[in-house]
């Protein structure tokens, strides 16, 4: 009599998880390649902009591919069956890049320059700078399709790009840490104080930008004087 191959629930769960891990590892390299593509283009734009305008708009760039536990958690929060296929269909932030700029104007400049490239397609845009979240969060989020050349040919990979200033990034990082470490719901008094801090930081952001532009005008005038004297 042939033996029956009976899997217990725990066995089937372990098998399903192993298959999920295998599927994740297969797509991870593709999303990582998408991040490298975006990073290279941003670095090139920053270098060229610096050459033409004597100013580097990008302070630094961070990136990450969403981990499998994070993907599972997000799909579950959206009440979507957990699978890599569903993750690719429903999640735009598996590949994520954070661009930290020096000034608010730089955010728009970098986004416009990147989106002007003919093989970059805009999928989604959320402007939390002009329309901040209720907690005070400010940033520009765009999701773009970027071409990645793999062994099997060219594939387009969605990459979420968050673009914010140094000041915005400072606030967002600390605010996230405070909420993440809180054992219970954050009291409304602290929520209000965090919002006030975000407003103060935003006001400072624009003041620093005004100072920068004022200094640029002074430097431009000095350059004109030097050129005239040389002539």
């Amino acid at each position: 009599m042939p033996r029956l191959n009976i899997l217990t629930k725990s066995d089937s769960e372990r098998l399903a998880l192993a298959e999920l891990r295998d599927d994740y590892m297969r797509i991870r390299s593709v999303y990582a390649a998408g991040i490298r593509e975006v990073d290279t283009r941003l670095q090139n734009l920053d270098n060229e902009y610096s050459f033409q305008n004597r100013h580097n708009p990008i302070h630094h760039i961070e990136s990450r591919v969403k981990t499998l536990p994070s993907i599972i958690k997000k799909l579950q929060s959206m009440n979507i069956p957990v699978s890599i296929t569903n993750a690719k269909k429903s999640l735009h932030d598996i590949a994520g890049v954070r661009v930290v700029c020096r000034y608010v104007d730089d955010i728009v400049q970098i986004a416009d320059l990147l989106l002007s490239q003919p093989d970059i397609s805009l999928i989604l845009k959320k402007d939390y700078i002009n329309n901040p979240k209720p907690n005070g969060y400010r940033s520009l989020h765009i999701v773009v399709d970027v071409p990645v050349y793999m062994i099997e040919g060219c594939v387009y990979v969605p990459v979420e790009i968050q673009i914010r200033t140094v000041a915005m990034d400072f606030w967002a990082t600390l605010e996230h840490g405070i909420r993440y470490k809180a054992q219970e719901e954050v009291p409304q008094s602290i929520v209000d104080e965090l919002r006030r801090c975000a407003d103060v930081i935003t006001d400072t952001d624009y003041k620093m930008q005004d100072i920068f532009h004022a200094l640029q005008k002074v430097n431009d005038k000095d350059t004109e004087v030097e050129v005239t004297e040389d002539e």
Side-chain angles (χ1 to χ4, degrees):
M1 184 175 180
R3 294 178 59 186
L4 295 176
N5 185 16
I6 300 176
L7 292 176
T8 65
K9 184 178 180 180
S10 59
D11 288 336
S12 61
E13 287 175 347
R14 281 196 292 268
L15 182 60
L17 184 58
E19 291 176 351
L20 191 62
R21 287 199 193 100
D22 289 343
D23 290 342
Y24 170 75
M25 293 308 298
R26 275 192 285 271
I27 68 158
R28 191 184 188 284
S29 61
V30 179
Y31 282 98
I35 286 174
R36 287 192 296 272
E37 181 69 26
V38 169
D39 183 80
T40 299
R41 293 184 186 224
L42 290 171
Q43 295 285 1
N44 290 340
L45 289 172
D46 185 58
N47 290 337
E48 186 176 4
Y49 192 90
S50 173
F51 178 75
Q52 293 182 1
N53 301 280
R54 294 177 297 162
H55 166 62
N56 288 94
I58 297 177
H59 184 271
H60 68 274
I61 300 172
E62 302 172 5
S63 61
R64 62 98 184 99
V65 176
K66 211 173 190 66
T67 64
L68 181 57
S70 293
I71 289 174
I72 293 172
K73 184 178 179 180
K74 190 157 188 178
L75 287 174
Q76 289 174 338
S77 71
M78 297 167 69
N79 293 318
I80 296 174
V82 175
S83 72
I84 296 303
T85 298
N86 286 340
K88 290 169 64 178
K89 289 179 180 178
S90 305
L91 304 184
H92 288 133
D93 62 343
I94 295 178
V97 175
R98 181 180 300 164
V99 185
V100 180
C101 295
R102 301 179 191 280
Y103 303 103
V104 179
D105 284 352
D106 295 333
I107 295 173
V108 178
Q109 191 69 253
I110 285 297
D112 287 347
L113 287 172
L114 183 65
L115 293 174
S116 69
Q117 298 183 358
D119 56 349
I120 295 284
S121 300
L122 178 65
I123 300 174
L124 182 68
K125 179 179 180 180
K126 293 183 179 180
D127 185 355
Y128 295 121
I129 296 174
N130 293 310
N131 302 287
K133 289 186 176 182
N135 67 344
Y137 175 83
R138 289 171 169 85
S139 182
L140 176 64
H141 292 196
I142 58 174
V143 179
V144 299
D145 247 350
V146 297
V148 173
Y149 290 88
M150 310 297 288
I151 293 175
E152 66 272 18
C154 178
V155 294
Y156 276 82
V157 180
V159 179
E160 183 193 58
I161 307 172
Q162 299 178 0
I163 316 175
R164 60 182 71 154
T165 64
V166 174
M168 292 174 189
D169 189 56
F170 159 77
W171 180 90
T173 301
L174 292 183
E175 193 270 352
H176 176 75
I178 289 170
R179 288 182 179 273
Y180 183 78
K181 291 180 180 179
Q183 298 297 318
E184 299 177 359
E185 186 176 347
V186 178
Q188 186 60 44
S189 60
I190 294 179
V191 172
D192 294 340
E193 189 62 34
L194 286 169
R195 175 61 196 240
R196 282 192 288 271
C197 287
D199 292 340
V200 169
I201 287 174
T202 299
D203 185 51
T204 304
D205 233 343
Y206 283 102
K207 286 180 179 178
M208 294 299 290
Q209 179 172 270
D210 290 342
I211 292 170
F212 171 69
H213 288 325
L215 284 174
Q216 273 190 320
K217 291 179 181 178
V218 171
N219 291 334
D220 289 342
K221 287 181 181 179
D222 290 342
T223 302
E224 289 176 5
V225 170
E226 290 176 4
V227 171
T228 302
E229 290 177 348
D230 289 341
E231 291 176 349

